[in-house]
Amino acid sequence: MTDSGAGQGRIVVGVSGSLGSLTALHRAVAEARRTDVEVLAVLCWTPPGDELGYRRTPCPPVVNAGRDAAVARLRRALDEAFAGRHAGVRLRCQAVRGDTGHALVRCADRPGDLLVLGAGRERGRLARLVHPSVTAYCVRHATCPVLAVPRPPLQHDLEALEHGHGLWEPAGGRWNCSR
């Protein structure tokens, strides 16, 4: 990526509203400040029942509602990421219909683009078979560099709590479950 301005590429960042994607969004904005390029925040969505279900039973109002929900989710994610303030860079947002990996690779198609992704949740073998990794797909198929931002430490803690493991304080020998 060059430092010569917006005409030389952009930073495309996948946003879903998850903690990992918000971390990736912050990293993309930091990189955009450093390189003076535009950030394109992309939220990918599919109609209820995915594309195959929609092809079987097309219903334009359902697709419109799905698109509107995706746009609202993208706006919420940006508000959460920047507390409703200006990000300090040129930022465009787009809700794109399609499978996440394919759509992100299609969006990051210009010379000089950088695709930024947040690492997702840790998943078991079966979950990876059913829903392959978006990051792995993008690394294999993107024509531009891909930056995979590691999961934030808070995400590890939240996942442990979700799975009922809690947080253990070895020094105090007690559960740390503050409210």
Side-chain angles (χ1 to χ4, degrees):
M1 175 126 359
T2 64
D3 288 27
S4 57
Q8 297 301 312
R10 0 160 244 188
I11 298 174
V12 179
V13 58
V15 177
S16 67
S18 71
L19 190 54
S21 78
L22 296 181
T23 302
L25 180 58
H26 278 274
R27 179 63 187 265
V29 166
E31 184 68 16
R33 283 186 188 121
R34 189 181 72 73
T35 57
D36 192 33
V37 296
E38 176 184 72
V39 173
L40 173 60
V42 178
L43 185 136
C44 303
W45 66 279
T46 57
D50 287 326
E51 294 296 338
L52 182 59
Y54 181 75
R55 276 187 244 133
R56 287 184 183 159
T57 314
C59 182
V62 170
V63 170
N64 292 339
R67 183 190 59 244
D68 293 345
V71 168
R73 199 166 114 206
L74 179 56
R75 286 184 179 143
R76 271 193 315 274
L78 293 169
D79 284 344
E80 288 176 15
F82 303 113
R85 296 184 178 165
H86 178 58
V89 297
R90 293 183 308 276
L91 176 67
R92 279 191 320 119
C93 307
Q94 192 171 5
V96 176
R97 181 176 167 184
D99 179 61
T100 304
H102 297 125
L104 289 172
V105 167
R106 277 194 326 265
C107 288
D109 62 348
R110 295 182 186 173
D113 279 357
L114 171 67
L115 178 56
V116 179
L117 305 167
R121 308 175 137 245
E122 287 185 11
R123 301 177 301 156
R125 226 176 279 215
L126 179 60
R128 285 192 307 265
L129 283 173
V130 175
H131 299 287
S133 165
V134 171
T135 302
Y137 178 88
C138 291
V139 166
R140 283 193 309 271
H141 294 93
T143 58
C144 67
V146 177
L147 173 61
V149 178
R151 296 177 329 134
L154 177 60
Q155 189 170 351
H156 290 283
D157 295 343
L158 291 174
E159 288 172 7
L161 289 171
E162 283 179 1
H163 292 102
H165 299 168
L167 300 176
W168 181 257
E169 272 187 4
R174 57 181 160 58
W175 291 101
N176 181 7
C177 295
S178 35
R179 295 177 189 231

